[in-house]
Amino acid sequence: MGTSGMGPFDNDGAEDLLDDLAAMPVERRLGAIRGVLSTAAAERGYLEAPEGQMAVAAAALTAAARSRSACPAAAAYAPDLTVPEPPPQLAVLALHALDRVLAPESELAELWDETDGGQEWLAHLARLRAELTGATDRGGDRGAGRGCGPVPRP
């Protein structure tokens, strides 16, 4: 599966997405995130693990951009990645994509189900869903309108 942990960016698919986003102009990043989420949400056949991994990462970026200025990928994977604040519809699309990742015929869900950490992974996704719905605050600048970007240095 190419996974180093349970976090949304701890896998090969997410790293590919972050590399792609970092290589494109900031103004195109939301469109790319929307594309990843749309692809996963619309899949009616078997959702392969890399697409599922990218969808989870895109959902995490969407949640972070809606709630605070620092992206969760900032520290280790993409320290200079900036994502503009997404429209509310993107959070709804992210929820649909997560639903598809968790649905039957999802390789990523199947792979996690076969591990001892499957329940913990599901708990991570439940927290991500709560962030997307606004049911929890990550402790940031909710409503600041800045999207997510690199962590400011003192």
Side-chain angles (χ1 to χ4, degrees), residues 23-95:
M24 67 180 59
V26 173
E27 61 272 8
R28 292 189 48 220
R29 292 178 184 164
L30 282 180
I33 290 169
R34 181 178 291 109
V36 167
L37 295 171
S38 294
T39 297
E43 179 59 57
R44 297 297 171 237
Y46 193 71
L47 182 66
E48 300 288 338
E51 287 77 16
Q53 291 171 335
M54 290 192 307
V56 171
L61 288 170
T62 301
R66 286 174 41 88
S67 67
R68 67 182 205 174
S69 61
C71 284
Y77 304 107
D80 297 322
L81 185 67
T82 301
V83 177
E85 182 179 11
Q89 299 88 344
L90 198 59
V92 173
L93 182 58
L95 290 168

Side-chain angles (χ1 to χ4, degrees), residues 10-136:
D10 296 338
N11 58 69
D12 294 341
E15 290 177 24
D16 289 344
L17 174 63
L18 293 173
D19 288 344
D20 291 347
L21 291 173
M24 67 180 59
V26 173
E27 61 272 8
R28 292 189 48 220
R29 292 178 184 164
L30 282 180
I33 290 169
R34 181 178 291 109
V36 167
L37 295 171
S38 294
T39 297
E43 179 59 57
R44 297 297 171 237
Y46 193 71
L47 182 66
E48 300 288 338
E51 287 77 16
Q53 291 171 335
M54 290 192 307
V56 171
L61 288 170
T62 301
R66 286 174 41 88
S67 67
R68 67 182 205 174
S69 61
C71 284
Y77 304 107
D80 297 322
L81 185 67
T82 301
V83 177
E85 182 179 11
Q89 299 88 344
L90 198 59
V92 173
L93 182 58
L95 290 168
H96 290 302
L98 289 177
D99 288 344
R100 182 59 190 91
V101 167
L102 293 169
E105 306 244 354
S106 169
E107 184 180 24
L108 187 58
E110 290 172 4
L111 291 168
W112 276 108
D113 189 46
E114 296 169 359
T115 70
D116 291 336
Q119 291 301 311
E120 189 176 346
W121 179 74
L122 290 173
H124 282 282
L125 291 189
R127 284 191 295 277
L128 178 53
R129 288 184 61 80
E131 292 169 11
L132 286 163
T133 62
T136 183

